[in-house]
Short mmCIF file of all heavy atoms in Angstrom, two decimals:
data_model
loop_
_atom_site.label_atom_id
_atom_site.label_comp_id
_atom_site.label_asym_id
_atom_site.label_seq_id
_atom_site.Cartn_x
_atom_site.Cartn_y
_atom_site.Cartn_z
N TYR L 1 -42.32 -11.16 -71.37
CA TYR L 1 -41.41 -12.11 -72.08
C TYR L 1 -42.08 -12.57 -73.37
O TYR L 1 -43.31 -12.44 -73.56
CB TYR L 1 -41.09 -13.32 -71.17
CG TYR L 1 -42.27 -14.18 -70.81
CD1 TYR L 1 -42.64 -15.27 -71.54
CD2 TYR L 1 -43.01 -13.87 -69.64
CE1 TYR L 1 -43.73 -16.06 -71.17
CE2 TYR L 1 -44.08 -14.66 -69.28
CZ TYR L 1 -44.45 -15.73 -70.03
OH TYR L 1 -45.54 -16.50 -69.67
N MET L 2 -41.30 -13.14 -74.29
CA MET L 2 -41.84 -13.71 -75.53
C MET L 2 -42.14 -15.19 -75.29
O MET L 2 -41.33 -15.91 -74.76
CB MET L 2 -40.82 -13.52 -76.66
CG MET L 2 -40.50 -12.09 -77.00
SD MET L 2 -39.24 -11.96 -78.32
CE MET L 2 -40.12 -12.72 -79.67
N TYR L 3 -43.29 -15.61 -75.75
CA TYR L 3 -43.78 -16.95 -75.44
C TYR L 3 -44.05 -17.68 -76.77
O TYR L 3 -45.01 -17.40 -77.47
CB TYR L 3 -45.08 -16.88 -74.60
CG TYR L 3 -45.47 -18.17 -73.99
CD1 TYR L 3 -44.60 -18.91 -73.22
CD2 TYR L 3 -46.76 -18.62 -74.15
CE1 TYR L 3 -45.02 -20.10 -72.61
CE2 TYR L 3 -47.21 -19.81 -73.57
CZ TYR L 3 -46.33 -20.54 -72.80
OH TYR L 3 -46.71 -21.70 -72.19
N LEU L 4 -43.19 -18.65 -77.07
CA LEU L 4 -43.30 -19.37 -78.34
C LEU L 4 -43.89 -20.75 -78.01
O LEU L 4 -43.21 -21.61 -77.51
CB LEU L 4 -41.93 -19.52 -79.02
CG LEU L 4 -41.14 -18.22 -79.22
CD1 LEU L 4 -39.84 -18.52 -79.98
CD2 LEU L 4 -41.95 -17.16 -79.89
N TRP L 5 -45.14 -20.92 -78.29
CA TRP L 5 -45.84 -22.17 -77.97
C TRP L 5 -45.93 -23.01 -79.23
O TRP L 5 -46.82 -22.82 -80.08
CB TRP L 5 -47.27 -21.80 -77.44
CG TRP L 5 -48.04 -22.96 -76.97
CD1 TRP L 5 -48.70 -23.91 -77.78
CD2 TRP L 5 -48.37 -23.36 -75.63
NE1 TRP L 5 -49.35 -24.84 -76.99
CE2 TRP L 5 -49.18 -24.52 -75.69
CE3 TRP L 5 -48.07 -22.80 -74.37
CZ2 TRP L 5 -49.69 -25.15 -74.54
CZ3 TRP L 5 -48.54 -23.44 -73.27
CH2 TRP L 5 -49.33 -24.60 -73.33
N TYR L 6 -45.03 -23.95 -79.33
CA TYR L 6 -45.01 -24.90 -80.48
C TYR L 6 -45.15 -24.19 -81.81
O TYR L 6 -46.18 -24.33 -82.51
CB TYR L 6 -46.08 -25.97 -80.31
CG TYR L 6 -45.96 -26.73 -79.01
CD1 TYR L 6 -47.04 -26.80 -78.12
CD2 TYR L 6 -44.79 -27.41 -78.66
CE1 TYR L 6 -46.93 -27.50 -76.94
CE2 TYR L 6 -44.66 -28.08 -77.45
CZ TYR L 6 -45.76 -28.14 -76.61
OH TYR L 6 -45.66 -28.82 -75.41
N PRO L 7 -44.13 -23.46 -82.26
CA PRO L 7 -44.20 -22.77 -83.54
C PRO L 7 -44.51 -23.74 -84.69
O PRO L 7 -44.09 -24.90 -84.64
CB PRO L 7 -42.80 -22.14 -83.70
CG PRO L 7 -42.31 -22.03 -82.29
CD PRO L 7 -42.87 -23.18 -81.54
N SER L 8 -45.18 -23.21 -85.73
CA SER L 8 -45.53 -24.06 -86.88
C SER L 8 -44.41 -24.22 -87.84
O SER L 8 -44.55 -24.92 -88.84
CB SER L 8 -46.78 -23.46 -87.56
OG SER L 8 -46.50 -22.15 -88.02
N GLY L 9 -43.28 -23.56 -87.62
CA GLY L 9 -42.09 -23.71 -88.43
C GLY L 9 -40.86 -23.23 -87.66
O GLY L 9 -40.96 -22.80 -86.52
N ASP L 10 -39.68 -23.34 -88.25
CA ASP L 10 -38.47 -22.87 -87.60
C ASP L 10 -38.53 -21.34 -87.42
O ASP L 10 -39.00 -20.63 -88.31
CB ASP L 10 -37.24 -23.23 -88.43
CG ASP L 10 -36.93 -24.71 -88.45
OD1 ASP L 10 -37.54 -25.43 -87.63
OD2 ASP L 10 -36.11 -25.13 -89.29
N CYS L 11 -38.06 -20.90 -86.24
CA CYS L 11 -38.04 -19.48 -85.92
C CYS L 11 -36.58 -19.01 -85.82
O CYS L 11 -35.75 -19.75 -85.31
CB CYS L 11 -38.81 -19.19 -84.64
SG CYS L 11 -40.56 -19.56 -84.73
N TYR L 12 -36.33 -17.75 -86.22
CA TYR L 12 -34.97 -17.20 -86.19
C TYR L 12 -34.92 -15.85 -85.52
O TYR L 12 -35.70 -14.95 -85.89
CB TYR L 12 -34.47 -17.05 -87.66
CG TYR L 12 -34.33 -18.38 -88.39
CD1 TYR L 12 -35.41 -18.96 -89.03
CD2 TYR L 12 -33.08 -19.07 -88.43
CE1 TYR L 12 -35.31 -20.16 -89.71
CE2 TYR L 12 -33.00 -20.25 -89.09
CZ TYR L 12 -34.08 -20.81 -89.73
OH TYR L 12 -33.97 -22.02 -90.38
N PHE L 13 -34.01 -15.70 -84.59
CA PHE L 13 -33.71 -14.43 -83.92
C PHE L 13 -32.22 -14.16 -84.19
O PHE L 13 -31.37 -14.84 -83.64
CB PHE L 13 -33.99 -14.52 -82.45
CG PHE L 13 -35.42 -14.85 -82.10
CD1 PHE L 13 -35.89 -16.15 -82.08
CD2 PHE L 13 -36.30 -13.81 -81.81
CE1 PHE L 13 -37.21 -16.44 -81.80
CE2 PHE L 13 -37.65 -14.11 -81.50
CZ PHE L 13 -38.10 -15.39 -81.50
N GLU L 14 -31.93 -13.16 -85.00
CA GLU L 14 -30.54 -12.95 -85.46
C GLU L 14 -30.12 -11.47 -85.35
O GLU L 14 -30.83 -10.58 -85.83
CB GLU L 14 -30.39 -13.42 -86.91
CG GLU L 14 -30.74 -14.90 -87.12
CD GLU L 14 -30.72 -15.27 -88.58
OE1 GLU L 14 -31.27 -14.50 -89.42
OE2 GLU L 14 -30.22 -16.36 -88.92
N ARG L 15 -28.96 -11.25 -84.70
CA ARG L 15 -28.33 -9.95 -84.66
C ARG L 15 -29.20 -8.85 -84.06
O ARG L 15 -29.18 -7.68 -84.48
CB ARG L 15 -27.82 -9.50 -86.03
CG ARG L 15 -26.84 -10.45 -86.64
CD ARG L 15 -26.44 -10.01 -88.07
NE ARG L 15 -27.62 -9.86 -88.92
CZ ARG L 15 -28.25 -10.85 -89.51
NH1 ARG L 15 -27.80 -12.09 -89.38
NH2 ARG L 15 -29.30 -10.63 -90.28
N ASN L 16 -29.97 -9.22 -83.02
CA ASN L 16 -30.80 -8.23 -82.29
C ASN L 16 -30.17 -7.79 -81.02
O ASN L 16 -29.30 -8.51 -80.45
CB ASN L 16 -32.17 -8.85 -82.04
CG ASN L 16 -32.87 -9.32 -83.27
OD1 ASN L 16 -33.29 -8.53 -84.12
ND2 ASN L 16 -33.03 -10.64 -83.40
N VAL L 17 -30.58 -6.63 -80.53
CA VAL L 17 -30.14 -6.17 -79.21
C VAL L 17 -31.35 -6.11 -78.31
O VAL L 17 -32.34 -5.41 -78.64
CB VAL L 17 -29.48 -4.77 -79.34
CG1 VAL L 17 -29.09 -4.26 -77.95
CG2 VAL L 17 -28.27 -4.79 -80.23
N PHE L 18 -31.30 -6.86 -77.21
CA PHE L 18 -32.40 -6.89 -76.26
C PHE L 18 -31.96 -6.16 -75.00
O PHE L 18 -31.02 -6.55 -74.31
CB PHE L 18 -32.75 -8.34 -75.89
CG PHE L 18 -33.30 -9.15 -77.08
CD1 PHE L 18 -32.45 -9.93 -77.82
CD2 PHE L 18 -34.66 -9.14 -77.38
CE1 PHE L 18 -32.93 -10.72 -78.91
CE2 PHE L 18 -35.13 -9.86 -78.44
CZ PHE L 18 -34.29 -10.64 -79.20
N ILE L 19 -32.68 -5.07 -74.65
CA ILE L 19 -32.34 -4.23 -73.53
C ILE L 19 -33.53 -4.21 -72.57
O ILE L 19 -34.68 -3.97 -72.98
CB ILE L 19 -32.02 -2.81 -73.96
CG1 ILE L 19 -30.90 -2.80 -75.03
CG2 ILE L 19 -31.59 -1.95 -72.76
CD1 ILE L 19 -30.70 -1.44 -75.70
N GLY L 20 -33.29 -4.46 -71.29
CA GLY L 20 -34.37 -4.49 -70.34
C GLY L 20 -35.36 -5.57 -70.69
O GLY L 20 -36.59 -5.40 -70.55
N PHE L 21 -34.83 -6.72 -71.14
CA PHE L 21 -35.67 -7.79 -71.72
C PHE L 21 -36.08 -8.79 -70.65
O PHE L 21 -35.33 -9.04 -69.69
CB PHE L 21 -34.87 -8.46 -72.82
CG PHE L 21 -35.64 -9.42 -73.68
CD1 PHE L 21 -36.82 -9.03 -74.26
CD2 PHE L 21 -35.18 -10.71 -73.90
CE1 PHE L 21 -37.52 -9.91 -75.09
CE2 PHE L 21 -35.86 -11.56 -74.69
CZ PHE L 21 -37.04 -11.20 -75.30
N GLN L 22 -37.25 -9.40 -70.85
CA GLN L 22 -37.75 -10.41 -69.90
C GLN L 22 -37.66 -11.84 -70.39
O GLN L 22 -38.04 -12.74 -69.68
CB GLN L 22 -39.19 -10.08 -69.54
CG GLN L 22 -39.31 -8.71 -68.83
CD GLN L 22 -40.69 -8.47 -68.24
OE1 GLN L 22 -41.26 -9.36 -67.62
NE2 GLN L 22 -41.22 -7.28 -68.42
N GLY L 23 -37.07 -12.06 -71.56
CA GLY L 23 -36.72 -13.38 -71.95
C GLY L 23 -37.55 -13.97 -73.12
O GLY L 23 -38.60 -13.50 -73.47
N ILE L 24 -36.97 -15.03 -73.70
CA ILE L 24 -37.64 -15.81 -74.74
C ILE L 24 -37.95 -17.20 -74.12
O ILE L 24 -37.05 -17.89 -73.66
CB ILE L 24 -36.75 -16.03 -75.96
CG1 ILE L 24 -36.43 -14.67 -76.65
CG2 ILE L 24 -37.40 -16.98 -76.96
CD1 ILE L 24 -35.40 -14.74 -77.75
N SER L 25 -39.23 -17.58 -74.08
CA SER L 25 -39.63 -18.85 -73.51
C SER L 25 -40.22 -19.70 -74.65
O SER L 25 -41.21 -19.30 -75.30
CB SER L 25 -40.75 -18.62 -72.46
OG SER L 25 -41.22 -19.84 -71.95
N ALA L 26 -39.61 -20.86 -74.93
CA ALA L 26 -39.95 -21.63 -76.12
C ALA L 26 -40.27 -23.07 -75.76
O ALA L 26 -39.63 -23.73 -74.94
CB ALA L 26 -38.78 -21.62 -77.12
N GLY L 27 -41.32 -23.56 -76.44
CA GLY L 27 -41.60 -25.01 -76.48
C GLY L 27 -41.69 -25.39 -77.94
O GLY L 27 -42.38 -24.72 -78.71
N THR L 28 -41.05 -26.48 -78.33
CA THR L 28 -40.98 -26.85 -79.75
C THR L 28 -41.49 -28.25 -79.96
O THR L 28 -41.42 -29.13 -79.09
CB THR L 28 -39.55 -26.74 -80.25
OG1 THR L 28 -38.69 -27.59 -79.48
CG2 THR L 28 -39.02 -25.30 -80.17
N GLN L 29 -41.98 -28.47 -81.16
CA GLN L 29 -42.47 -29.79 -81.58
C GLN L 29 -42.15 -29.99 -83.06
O GLN L 29 -42.86 -29.53 -83.92
CB GLN L 29 -43.97 -29.89 -81.32
CG GLN L 29 -44.52 -31.30 -81.60
CD GLN L 29 -45.91 -31.47 -81.05
OE1 GLN L 29 -46.13 -32.21 -80.09
NE2 GLN L 29 -46.89 -30.79 -81.61
N GLY L 30 -41.01 -30.65 -83.31
CA GLY L 30 -40.62 -30.93 -84.67
C GLY L 30 -39.96 -29.74 -85.40
O GLY L 30 -39.62 -29.83 -86.57
N HIS L 31 -39.81 -28.64 -84.72
CA HIS L 31 -39.19 -27.45 -85.32
C HIS L 31 -38.11 -26.91 -84.38
O HIS L 31 -37.99 -27.36 -83.23
CB HIS L 31 -40.21 -26.38 -85.63
CG HIS L 31 -41.21 -26.81 -86.63
ND1 HIS L 31 -40.95 -27.05 -87.96
CD2 HIS L 31 -42.56 -27.13 -86.47
CE1 HIS L 31 -42.02 -27.45 -88.61
NE2 HIS L 31 -43.02 -27.47 -87.73
N HIS L 32 -37.36 -25.94 -84.85
CA HIS L 32 -36.24 -25.37 -84.08
C HIS L 32 -36.45 -23.89 -83.88
O HIS L 32 -36.99 -23.17 -84.71
CB HIS L 32 -34.89 -25.64 -84.81
CG HIS L 32 -34.66 -27.04 -85.15
ND1 HIS L 32 -34.22 -27.98 -84.21
CD2 HIS L 32 -34.83 -27.74 -86.32
CE1 HIS L 32 -34.12 -29.16 -84.83
NE2 HIS L 32 -34.48 -29.05 -86.08
N VAL L 33 -35.91 -23.38 -82.78
CA VAL L 33 -35.81 -21.97 -82.52
C VAL L 33 -34.32 -21.63 -82.45
O VAL L 33 -33.62 -22.11 -81.60
CB VAL L 33 -36.52 -21.57 -81.18
CG1 VAL L 33 -36.27 -20.10 -80.85
CG2 VAL L 33 -38.01 -21.89 -81.24
N TYR L 34 -33.88 -20.80 -83.42
CA TYR L 34 -32.50 -20.40 -83.52
C TYR L 34 -32.32 -18.98 -82.98
O TYR L 34 -32.93 -18.04 -83.46
CB TYR L 34 -32.02 -20.43 -84.98
CG TYR L 34 -32.06 -21.82 -85.62
CD1 TYR L 34 -33.14 -22.21 -86.38
CD2 TYR L 34 -30.98 -22.71 -85.43
CE1 TYR L 34 -33.15 -23.49 -86.99
CE2 TYR L 34 -31.00 -23.96 -85.99
CZ TYR L 34 -32.09 -24.34 -86.80
OH TYR L 34 -32.12 -25.59 -87.34
N VAL L 35 -31.47 -18.86 -81.95
CA VAL L 35 -31.20 -17.59 -81.31
C VAL L 35 -29.70 -17.33 -81.49
O VAL L 35 -28.89 -17.87 -80.75
CB VAL L 35 -31.59 -17.55 -79.83
CG1 VAL L 35 -31.45 -16.15 -79.28
CG2 VAL L 35 -33.05 -18.03 -79.67
N THR L 36 -29.33 -16.54 -82.49
CA THR L 36 -27.94 -16.42 -82.87
C THR L 36 -27.47 -14.95 -83.01
O THR L 36 -28.22 -14.13 -83.55
CB THR L 36 -27.64 -17.16 -84.18
OG1 THR L 36 -28.51 -16.63 -85.22
CG2 THR L 36 -27.88 -18.65 -84.03
N ASN L 37 -26.29 -14.64 -82.52
CA ASN L 37 -25.65 -13.36 -82.67
C ASN L 37 -26.48 -12.18 -82.11
O ASN L 37 -26.55 -11.12 -82.65
CB ASN L 37 -25.34 -13.06 -84.13
CG ASN L 37 -24.32 -14.02 -84.73
OD1 ASN L 37 -24.67 -14.89 -85.53
ND2 ASN L 37 -23.08 -13.92 -84.35
N ASN L 38 -27.13 -12.45 -80.98
CA ASN L 38 -27.90 -11.40 -80.30
C ASN L 38 -27.14 -10.91 -79.07
O ASN L 38 -26.24 -11.57 -78.56
CB ASN L 38 -29.26 -11.96 -79.86
CG ASN L 38 -30.06 -12.47 -81.04
OD1 ASN L 38 -30.70 -11.73 -81.77
ND2 ASN L 38 -30.07 -13.78 -81.20
N VAL L 39 -27.55 -9.72 -78.58
CA VAL L 39 -26.98 -9.16 -77.38
C VAL L 39 -28.13 -9.05 -76.34
O VAL L 39 -29.19 -8.53 -76.65
CB VAL L 39 -26.39 -7.78 -77.59
CG1 VAL L 39 -25.86 -7.19 -76.30
CG2 VAL L 39 -25.28 -7.81 -78.65
N PHE L 40 -27.82 -9.52 -75.14
CA PHE L 40 -28.79 -9.45 -74.04
C PHE L 40 -28.15 -8.68 -72.89
O PHE L 40 -27.09 -9.09 -72.37
CB PHE L 40 -29.21 -10.84 -73.54
CG PHE L 40 -29.91 -11.70 -74.55
CD1 PHE L 40 -29.20 -12.49 -75.42
CD2 PHE L 40 -31.29 -11.70 -74.64
CE1 PHE L 40 -29.82 -13.30 -76.37
CE2 PHE L 40 -31.93 -12.49 -75.57
CZ PHE L 40 -31.20 -13.29 -76.42
N TYR L 41 -28.70 -7.54 -72.50
CA TYR L 41 -28.20 -6.90 -71.31
C TYR L 41 -29.28 -6.06 -70.65
O TYR L 41 -30.34 -5.82 -71.19
CB TYR L 41 -26.96 -6.08 -71.57
CG TYR L 41 -27.07 -4.84 -72.39
CD1 TYR L 41 -27.18 -3.60 -71.75
CD2 TYR L 41 -27.01 -4.85 -73.77
CE1 TYR L 41 -27.26 -2.39 -72.50
CE2 TYR L 41 -27.09 -3.70 -74.51
CZ TYR L 41 -27.20 -2.48 -73.86
OH TYR L 41 -27.26 -1.32 -74.60
N ASP L 42 -28.95 -5.66 -69.39
CA ASP L 42 -29.97 -5.03 -68.50
C ASP L 42 -31.18 -5.97 -68.42
O ASP L 42 -32.32 -5.52 -68.47
CB ASP L 42 -30.37 -3.66 -68.99
CG ASP L 42 -31.19 -2.89 -67.95
OD1 ASP L 42 -31.12 -3.27 -66.75
OD2 ASP L 42 -31.94 -1.99 -68.33
N GLN L 43 -30.91 -7.24 -68.17
CA GLN L 43 -31.96 -8.28 -68.14
C GLN L 43 -32.93 -8.04 -67.01
O GLN L 43 -32.52 -7.86 -65.89
CB GLN L 43 -31.27 -9.64 -68.00
CG GLN L 43 -32.17 -10.83 -68.09
CD GLN L 43 -31.39 -12.13 -68.09
OE1 GLN L 43 -30.33 -12.24 -68.77
NE2 GLN L 43 -31.82 -13.07 -67.26
N GLN L 44 -34.24 -8.07 -67.31
CA GLN L 44 -35.26 -7.79 -66.30
C GLN L 44 -36.03 -9.03 -65.86
O GLN L 44 -36.63 -9.04 -64.80
CB GLN L 44 -36.26 -6.76 -66.85
CG GLN L 44 -35.64 -5.40 -67.16
CD GLN L 44 -35.05 -4.75 -65.92
OE1 GLN L 44 -35.67 -4.58 -64.92
NE2 GLN L 44 -33.77 -4.39 -66.01
N GLY L 45 -35.96 -10.09 -66.66
CA GLY L 45 -36.64 -11.32 -66.28
C GLY L 45 -35.71 -12.32 -65.63
O GLY L 45 -34.49 -12.07 -65.50
N PRO L 46 -36.21 -13.50 -65.21
CA PRO L 46 -35.39 -14.51 -64.53
C PRO L 46 -34.48 -15.28 -65.48
O PRO L 46 -33.70 -16.10 -64.99
CB PRO L 46 -36.42 -15.41 -63.86
CG PRO L 46 -37.65 -15.27 -64.75
CD PRO L 46 -37.63 -13.87 -65.24
N TYR L 47 -34.56 -15.04 -66.78
CA TYR L 47 -33.69 -15.76 -67.72
C TYR L 47 -33.70 -14.95 -69.04
O TYR L 47 -34.55 -14.08 -69.27
CB TYR L 47 -34.24 -17.18 -68.03
CG TYR L 47 -35.67 -17.16 -68.46
CD1 TYR L 47 -36.05 -16.92 -69.77
CD2 TYR L 47 -36.73 -17.36 -67.56
CE1 TYR L 47 -37.35 -16.85 -70.18
CE2 TYR L 47 -38.03 -17.32 -67.97
CZ TYR L 47 -38.36 -17.06 -69.29
OH TYR L 47 -39.68 -17.00 -69.67
N ALA L 48 -32.75 -15.25 -69.90
CA ALA L 48 -32.74 -14.68 -71.23
C ALA L 48 -33.43 -15.62 -72.22
O ALA L 48 -34.24 -15.22 -73.08
CB ALA L 48 -31.32 -14.38 -71.72
#
């Protein structure tokens, strides 16, 4: 899985296709993680 531990700025995930994916795990402090217009399928982890 992808592990975002308090990014130093805003992060953007846009128009991606995730296949057999194990998820995005994020913790934020004063910034935002934007996950927009993506496709998730054949999910392999416990969450997207």
Side-chain angles (χ1 to χ4, degrees):
Y1 63 93
M2 296 177 64
Y3 193 53
L4 309 185
W5 183 286
Y6 303 124
S8 59
D10 291 347
C11 296
Y12 295 85
F13 299 84
E14 300 173 317
R15 299 178 305 280
N16 303 291
V17 178
F18 295 95
I19 305 169
F21 190 53
Q22 298 190 43
I24 298 172
S25 175
T28 58
Q29 185 167 249
H31 298 291
H32 306 281
V33 174
Y34 296 97
V35 186
T36 56
N37 295 107
N38 302 280
V39 178
F40 298 88
Y41 71 96
D42 191 21
Q43 185 175 316
Q44 297 300 306
Y47 55 82

